[in-house]
Short mmCIF file of all heavy atoms in Angstrom, two decimals:
data_model
loop_
_atom_site.label_atom_id
_atom_site.label_comp_id
_atom_site.label_asym_id
_atom_site.label_seq_id
_atom_site.Cartn_x
_atom_site.Cartn_y
_atom_site.Cartn_z
N VAL F 234 0.08 247.24 10.25
CA VAL F 234 1.49 246.91 10.44
C VAL F 234 2.15 246.45 9.14
O VAL F 234 3.25 246.91 8.80
CB VAL F 234 1.65 245.85 11.55
CG1 VAL F 234 3.12 245.43 11.67
CG2 VAL F 234 1.16 246.40 12.88
N PRO F 235 1.51 245.54 8.35
CA PRO F 235 2.12 245.16 7.07
C PRO F 235 2.33 246.36 6.15
O PRO F 235 3.36 246.46 5.47
CB PRO F 235 1.11 244.17 6.47
CG PRO F 235 0.39 243.61 7.65
CD PRO F 235 0.29 244.75 8.61
N MET F 236 1.35 247.27 6.12
CA MET F 236 1.50 248.47 5.29
C MET F 236 2.64 249.34 5.79
O MET F 236 3.39 249.92 5.00
CB MET F 236 0.20 249.26 5.30
CG MET F 236 0.19 250.46 4.36
SD MET F 236 0.33 249.97 2.63
CE MET F 236 -1.26 249.17 2.40
N ALA F 237 2.78 249.42 7.11
CA ALA F 237 3.86 250.22 7.69
C ALA F 237 5.22 249.69 7.26
O ALA F 237 6.13 250.46 6.91
CB ALA F 237 3.75 250.24 9.21
N VAL F 238 5.37 248.36 7.27
CA VAL F 238 6.64 247.74 6.89
C VAL F 238 6.98 248.07 5.43
O VAL F 238 8.11 248.43 5.10
CB VAL F 238 6.58 246.22 7.10
CG1 VAL F 238 7.84 245.56 6.53
CG2 VAL F 238 6.45 245.90 8.59
N LEU F 239 5.97 247.95 4.55
CA LEU F 239 6.21 248.23 3.13
C LEU F 239 6.54 249.70 2.90
O LEU F 239 7.40 250.03 2.07
CB LEU F 239 4.97 247.83 2.32
CG LEU F 239 4.70 246.32 2.23
CD1 LEU F 239 3.38 246.07 1.50
CD2 LEU F 239 5.84 245.61 1.53
N ILE F 240 5.86 250.57 3.63
CA ILE F 240 6.14 252.01 3.48
C ILE F 240 7.53 252.34 3.98
O ILE F 240 8.25 253.16 3.40
CB ILE F 240 5.07 252.84 4.21
CG1 ILE F 240 3.73 252.71 3.47
CG2 ILE F 240 5.48 254.32 4.29
CD1 ILE F 240 2.59 253.46 4.12
N TRP F 241 7.95 251.70 5.07
CA TRP F 241 9.33 251.90 5.55
C TRP F 241 10.33 251.50 4.48
O TRP F 241 11.31 252.20 4.25
CB TRP F 241 9.57 251.05 6.81
CG TRP F 241 8.97 251.63 8.05
CD1 TRP F 241 8.62 252.94 8.27
CD2 TRP F 241 8.62 250.92 9.24
NE1 TRP F 241 8.07 253.08 9.52
CE2 TRP F 241 8.06 251.87 10.13
CE3 TRP F 241 8.72 249.60 9.63
CZ2 TRP F 241 7.63 251.51 11.41
CZ3 TRP F 241 8.28 249.24 10.89
CH2 TRP F 241 7.75 250.18 11.77
N LEU F 242 10.10 250.33 3.86
CA LEU F 242 11.02 249.86 2.83
C LEU F 242 11.08 250.83 1.64
O LEU F 242 12.11 250.94 0.98
CB LEU F 242 10.59 248.47 2.34
CG LEU F 242 10.77 247.33 3.32
CD1 LEU F 242 10.18 246.04 2.77
CD2 LEU F 242 12.24 247.13 3.68
N MET F 243 9.95 251.51 1.37
CA MET F 243 9.91 252.45 0.26
C MET F 243 10.55 253.79 0.63
O MET F 243 11.32 254.37 -0.14
CB MET F 243 8.47 252.68 -0.18
CG MET F 243 8.33 253.68 -1.33
SD MET F 243 6.61 254.00 -1.80
CE MET F 243 6.00 254.86 -0.35
N ILE F 244 10.25 254.27 1.83
CA ILE F 244 10.66 255.62 2.22
C ILE F 244 12.09 255.67 2.76
O ILE F 244 12.83 256.61 2.46
CB ILE F 244 9.69 256.19 3.28
CG1 ILE F 244 8.30 256.36 2.67
CG2 ILE F 244 10.19 257.53 3.82
CD1 ILE F 244 7.28 256.90 3.65
N TYR F 245 12.48 254.67 3.53
CA TYR F 245 13.79 254.70 4.19
C TYR F 245 14.95 254.95 3.23
O TYR F 245 15.78 255.83 3.47
CB TYR F 245 13.99 253.40 4.97
CG TYR F 245 15.35 253.27 5.61
CD1 TYR F 245 15.72 254.07 6.69
CD2 TYR F 245 16.27 252.34 5.13
CE1 TYR F 245 16.97 253.94 7.27
CE2 TYR F 245 17.52 252.20 5.70
CZ TYR F 245 17.86 253.00 6.77
OH TYR F 245 19.11 252.87 7.34
N PRO F 246 15.03 254.21 2.10
CA PRO F 246 16.13 254.49 1.16
C PRO F 246 16.09 255.90 0.60
O PRO F 246 17.13 256.48 0.30
CB PRO F 246 15.91 253.45 0.05
CG PRO F 246 15.15 252.35 0.71
CD PRO F 246 14.23 253.04 1.66
N MET F 247 14.87 256.47 0.44
CA MET F 247 14.77 257.83 -0.04
C MET F 247 15.28 258.82 1.00
O MET F 247 15.92 259.83 0.68
CB MET F 247 13.31 258.15 -0.38
CG MET F 247 12.72 257.36 -1.53
SD MET F 247 13.58 257.67 -3.11
CE MET F 247 14.54 256.15 -3.26
N MET F 248 14.99 258.54 2.26
CA MET F 248 15.44 259.41 3.34
C MET F 248 16.96 259.40 3.45
O MET F 248 17.58 260.41 3.82
CB MET F 248 14.83 258.97 4.67
CG MET F 248 13.32 259.14 4.75
SD MET F 248 12.81 260.86 4.56
CE MET F 248 11.05 260.72 4.93
N ILE F 249 17.57 258.25 3.13
CA ILE F 249 19.04 258.16 3.18
C ILE F 249 19.67 259.14 2.19
O ILE F 249 20.73 259.70 2.44
CB ILE F 249 19.49 256.72 2.86
CG1 ILE F 249 19.02 255.77 3.95
CG2 ILE F 249 21.01 256.65 2.72
CD1 ILE F 249 19.34 254.32 3.67
N LYS F 250 19.00 259.35 1.05
CA LYS F 250 19.54 260.22 0.00
C LYS F 250 19.51 261.70 0.37
O LYS F 250 20.18 262.51 -0.26
CB LYS F 250 18.77 260.01 -1.30
CG LYS F 250 18.93 258.64 -1.91
CD LYS F 250 18.16 258.53 -3.22
CE LYS F 250 18.32 257.17 -3.85
NZ LYS F 250 17.60 257.07 -5.15
N ILE F 251 18.70 262.05 1.34
CA ILE F 251 18.49 263.46 1.67
C ILE F 251 19.62 263.99 2.54
O ILE F 251 19.88 263.48 3.63
CB ILE F 251 17.15 263.68 2.39
CG1 ILE F 251 15.99 263.19 1.51
CG2 ILE F 251 16.96 265.15 2.73
CD1 ILE F 251 14.65 263.23 2.20
N ASP F 252 20.27 265.02 2.06
CA ASP F 252 21.32 265.69 2.83
C ASP F 252 20.70 266.96 3.41
O ASP F 252 20.50 267.95 2.71
CB ASP F 252 22.50 266.03 1.93
CG ASP F 252 23.61 266.74 2.68
OD1 ASP F 252 23.52 266.83 3.93
OD2 ASP F 252 24.57 267.20 2.04
N PHE F 253 20.39 266.93 4.69
CA PHE F 253 19.70 268.07 5.30
C PHE F 253 20.61 269.29 5.45
O PHE F 253 20.13 270.38 5.77
CB PHE F 253 19.11 267.67 6.65
CG PHE F 253 17.82 266.89 6.52
CD1 PHE F 253 17.84 265.52 6.44
CD2 PHE F 253 16.61 267.54 6.43
CE1 PHE F 253 16.68 264.80 6.29
CE2 PHE F 253 15.43 266.83 6.28
CZ PHE F 253 15.47 265.46 6.22
N GLN F 254 21.88 269.12 5.21
CA GLN F 254 22.77 270.27 5.18
C GLN F 254 22.48 271.15 3.97
O GLN F 254 22.84 272.32 3.93
CB GLN F 254 24.24 269.82 5.16
CG GLN F 254 24.67 269.12 6.43
CD GLN F 254 26.15 268.74 6.41
OE1 GLN F 254 26.85 269.03 5.44
NE2 GLN F 254 26.60 268.09 7.46
N SER F 255 21.80 270.57 2.97
CA SER F 255 21.46 271.32 1.76
C SER F 255 20.43 272.41 2.04
O SER F 255 20.24 273.31 1.21
CB SER F 255 20.91 270.37 0.69
OG SER F 255 19.70 269.76 1.12
N ILE F 256 19.76 272.33 3.19
CA ILE F 256 18.75 273.33 3.52
C ILE F 256 19.36 274.73 3.59
O ILE F 256 18.68 275.73 3.36
CB ILE F 256 18.06 272.97 4.85
CG1 ILE F 256 17.28 271.66 4.68
CG2 ILE F 256 17.13 274.07 5.33
CD1 ILE F 256 16.62 271.18 5.95
N LYS F 257 20.64 274.81 3.88
CA LYS F 257 21.30 276.12 3.96
C LYS F 257 21.33 276.81 2.61
O LYS F 257 21.58 278.02 2.52
CB LYS F 257 22.72 275.96 4.50
CG LYS F 257 23.62 275.11 3.60
CD LYS F 257 24.97 274.87 4.25
CE LYS F 257 25.88 274.00 3.37
NZ LYS F 257 27.17 273.72 4.02
N ASN F 258 21.06 276.06 1.52
CA ASN F 258 21.05 276.64 0.18
C ASN F 258 19.67 277.13 -0.26
O ASN F 258 19.48 277.50 -1.41
CB ASN F 258 21.55 275.61 -0.84
CG ASN F 258 22.98 275.17 -0.57
OD1 ASN F 258 23.83 275.98 -0.20
ND2 ASN F 258 23.25 273.88 -0.74
N VAL F 259 18.71 277.12 0.66
CA VAL F 259 17.33 277.50 0.34
C VAL F 259 17.27 278.91 -0.23
O VAL F 259 16.54 279.19 -1.19
CB VAL F 259 16.44 277.41 1.60
CG1 VAL F 259 15.11 278.11 1.36
CG2 VAL F 259 16.19 275.96 1.95
N SER F 260 18.03 279.83 0.33
CA SER F 260 17.94 281.23 -0.08
C SER F 260 18.54 281.50 -1.46
O SER F 260 18.30 282.57 -2.03
CB SER F 260 18.65 282.12 0.96
OG SER F 260 20.02 281.75 1.07
N LYS F 261 19.27 280.55 -2.03
CA LYS F 261 19.92 280.79 -3.32
C LYS F 261 18.93 280.85 -4.48
O LYS F 261 19.14 281.57 -5.44
CB LYS F 261 20.97 279.70 -3.57
CG LYS F 261 22.16 279.77 -2.61
CD LYS F 261 23.20 278.71 -2.97
CE LYS F 261 24.41 278.81 -2.05
NZ LYS F 261 25.44 277.79 -2.36
N ASN F 262 17.88 280.07 -4.41
CA ASN F 262 16.87 280.06 -5.48
C ASN F 262 15.51 279.71 -4.85
O ASN F 262 15.01 278.60 -5.01
CB ASN F 262 17.24 279.05 -6.56
CG ASN F 262 16.33 279.16 -7.78
OD1 ASN F 262 15.53 280.08 -7.89
ND2 ASN F 262 16.46 278.21 -8.68
N PRO F 263 14.90 280.66 -4.15
CA PRO F 263 13.70 280.36 -3.36
C PRO F 263 12.40 280.24 -4.17
O PRO F 263 11.43 279.67 -3.68
CB PRO F 263 13.62 281.55 -2.40
CG PRO F 263 14.24 282.68 -3.17
CD PRO F 263 15.35 282.06 -3.98
N LYS F 264 12.37 280.74 -5.40
CA LYS F 264 11.11 280.75 -6.15
C LYS F 264 10.53 279.35 -6.35
O LYS F 264 9.34 279.12 -6.14
CB LYS F 264 11.31 281.44 -7.50
CG LYS F 264 11.58 282.93 -7.40
CD LYS F 264 11.70 283.56 -8.78
CE LYS F 264 11.95 285.06 -8.67
NZ LYS F 264 12.08 285.71 -10.01
N GLY F 265 11.38 278.43 -6.78
CA GLY F 265 10.91 277.07 -7.00
C GLY F 265 10.43 276.41 -5.72
O GLY F 265 9.46 275.65 -5.73
N LEU F 266 11.10 276.72 -4.61
CA LEU F 266 10.70 276.16 -3.33
C LEU F 266 9.35 276.71 -2.89
O LEU F 266 8.50 275.97 -2.38
CB LEU F 266 11.76 276.47 -2.27
CG LEU F 266 13.11 275.77 -2.48
CD1 LEU F 266 14.12 276.27 -1.48
CD2 LEU F 266 12.95 274.26 -2.37
N PHE F 267 9.14 278.02 -3.10
CA PHE F 267 7.85 278.62 -2.74
C PHE F 267 6.72 277.98 -3.53
O PHE F 267 5.64 277.70 -2.98
CB PHE F 267 7.88 280.13 -2.99
CG PHE F 267 8.67 280.89 -1.97
CD1 PHE F 267 9.50 281.94 -2.35
CD2 PHE F 267 8.60 280.57 -0.63
CE1 PHE F 267 10.24 282.65 -1.42
CE2 PHE F 267 9.33 281.27 0.32
CZ PHE F 267 10.16 282.30 -0.07
N VAL F 268 6.96 277.73 -4.82
CA VAL F 268 5.94 277.08 -5.66
C VAL F 268 5.63 275.69 -5.11
O VAL F 268 4.46 275.30 -4.98
CB VAL F 268 6.41 276.99 -7.12
CG1 VAL F 268 5.46 276.12 -7.93
CG2 VAL F 268 6.51 278.37 -7.74
N THR F 269 6.68 274.94 -4.77
CA THR F 269 6.50 273.58 -4.24
C THR F 269 5.73 273.60 -2.93
O THR F 269 4.79 272.81 -2.73
CB THR F 269 7.86 272.91 -4.01
OG1 THR F 269 8.57 272.85 -5.25
CG2 THR F 269 7.68 271.51 -3.46
N TRP F 270 6.11 274.48 -2.03
CA TRP F 270 5.44 274.56 -0.73
C TRP F 270 3.97 274.94 -0.87
O TRP F 270 3.11 274.36 -0.22
CB TRP F 270 6.15 275.57 0.17
CG TRP F 270 7.57 275.21 0.49
CD1 TRP F 270 8.14 273.96 0.43
CD2 TRP F 270 8.60 276.10 0.89
NE1 TRP F 270 9.47 274.03 0.77
CE2 TRP F 270 9.78 275.32 1.06
CE3 TRP F 270 8.67 277.47 1.13
CZ2 TRP F 270 10.98 275.87 1.47
CZ3 TRP F 270 9.87 278.03 1.55
CH2 TRP F 270 11.02 277.24 1.70
#
Side-chain angles (χ1 to χ4, degrees):
V234 175
M236 186 64 68
V238 173
L239 291 175
I240 291 179
W241 283 338
L242 290 174
M243 179 182 68
I244 295 179
Y245 176 70
M247 294 298 105
M248 294 299 187
I249 295 176
K250 294 182 179 181
I251 301 174
D252 180 7
F253 282 91
Q254 294 182 2
S255 63
I256 295 177
K257 62 186 179 182
N258 298 321
V259 167
S260 60
K261 292 183 178 180
N262 188 9
K264 292 183 180 180
L266 293 174
F267 286 139
V268 171
T269 301
W270 297 339

